[in-house]
Each structure stands twice: as C-alpha cells, then as structure tokens.
Amino acid sequence: MDEHEEAGLSEAFWAVARRLRHLTKDALAPWQITPSQSRALHVLGRQETLRLNELADQLRIAPRSATEVVDDLQARGLVERRPDPADRRATLVALTGPGRETARLIEAARRAEADRFFSALAPDDRAQLGVILRKLS
C-alpha cells in the first residue's frame, strides 16, 4: 500500500469515527447525557461499585475529570457516593436505581443506532470488520 492509499484509509477511518460520534451524541440527546457521562454509566453498570480513581482509569481520563463526571451524574440522581469500608479515605461510586435504568435505556439506544449504522454492511463484512478492528485495538 502506498502513502496515498494509506492516507485515504486513515481519512476514511476518521470519517467513520466522526459519523459514529455524531450518531452517538444524537442517540444520547433524549437523556441530556454527554458521551463521557454515558461511558461512566456503562462502566458502573458492569461493576457493583468502583473507587473514583478506578473509574477514572477505566474511562482513561484524569481523576479530576472523573470527579466532574460523577458530580454531574450525582446531581441528576444517577449515581451515589459511598464511603469505602476498606479505606475511610476512599470513596466508592455506584449507580442508583434510576441510574441503572438510564444506563440500560442508553445501552439499548446505542445498540439500535449501531445496528442501523452497520446494516449498510453485509453480515460477512460486519464480521470481518469486527476482526480487523479488534486486531487494531
């Protein structure tokens, strides 16, 4: 593959990523949730509780940014902070009942949007794309 083909591949990849980002933002609009908040709900939905620094690590963001995300979600009643019984200096974060339901609804909306987006590909092409993307990540 020459430089021109590689540049075209890179541009095509970023164009798809931008389109997916916009579709995700649109899918989140009914909940007035940012992509960062949505990711936090998703991560917390897979865990019972997480320390704030563990959440930051899993989101690959700075602890300060994770604090802001949690502050916003807590203000909306979607997460709660709890003392860590193993370490009084640490704080645990957990989904509330409404947070769990919101995470479930958002996940369903995102899945439906992804299914619609990738429906332009034949099933074999989608499977191959999945293999390729997993290799690259």
Side-chain angles (χ1 to χ4, degrees):
M1 182 178 297
D2 66 24
E3 285 182 37
H4 180 69
E5 289 173 325
E6 283 187 28
L9 185 59
S10 176
E11 287 302 314
F13 176 85
W14 287 113
V16 170
R18 277 190 302 275
R19 186 157 175 237
L20 276 171
R21 215 173 20 257
H22 288 291
L23 290 172
T24 297
K25 186 177 175 185
D26 291 345
L28 296 174
W31 294 277
Q32 298 178 334
I33 294 279
T34 67
S36 295
Q37 293 168 346
S38 171
R39 288 177 38 235
L41 291 174
H42 178 77
V43 168
L44 289 167
R46 293 185 320 217
Q47 312 281 327
E48 187 64 30
T49 59
L50 277 176
R51 286 184 176 177
L52 200 50
N53 64 330
E54 293 169 334
L55 178 62
D57 287 346
Q58 289 195 30
L59 294 175
R60 295 186 178 108
I61 60 176
R64 170 118 175 86
S65 296
T67 297
E68 291 173 2
V69 168
V70 170
D71 286 347
D72 292 341
L73 292 172
Q74 185 174 22
R76 298 181 62 180
L78 301 177
V79 301
E80 62 184 5
R81 286 178 165 96
R82 301 176 184 163
D84 185 343
D87 181 353
R88 292 185 316 167
R89 297 168 297 165
T91 300
L92 298 174
V93 180
L95 292 177
T96 61
R100 213 174 335 291
E101 178 63 10
T102 300
R104 185 188 68 74
L105 292 170
I106 288 172
E107 185 62 31
R110 290 180 73 169
R111 196 173 315 114
E113 191 61 43
D115 288 346
R116 188 180 67 74
F117 179 77
F118 289 109
S119 70
L121 299 175
D124 288 346
D125 290 339
R126 285 200 317 238
Q128 186 61 29
L129 178 60
V131 168
I132 291 167
L133 291 175
R134 281 187 284 286
K135 281 183 184 179
L136 292 174
S137 66

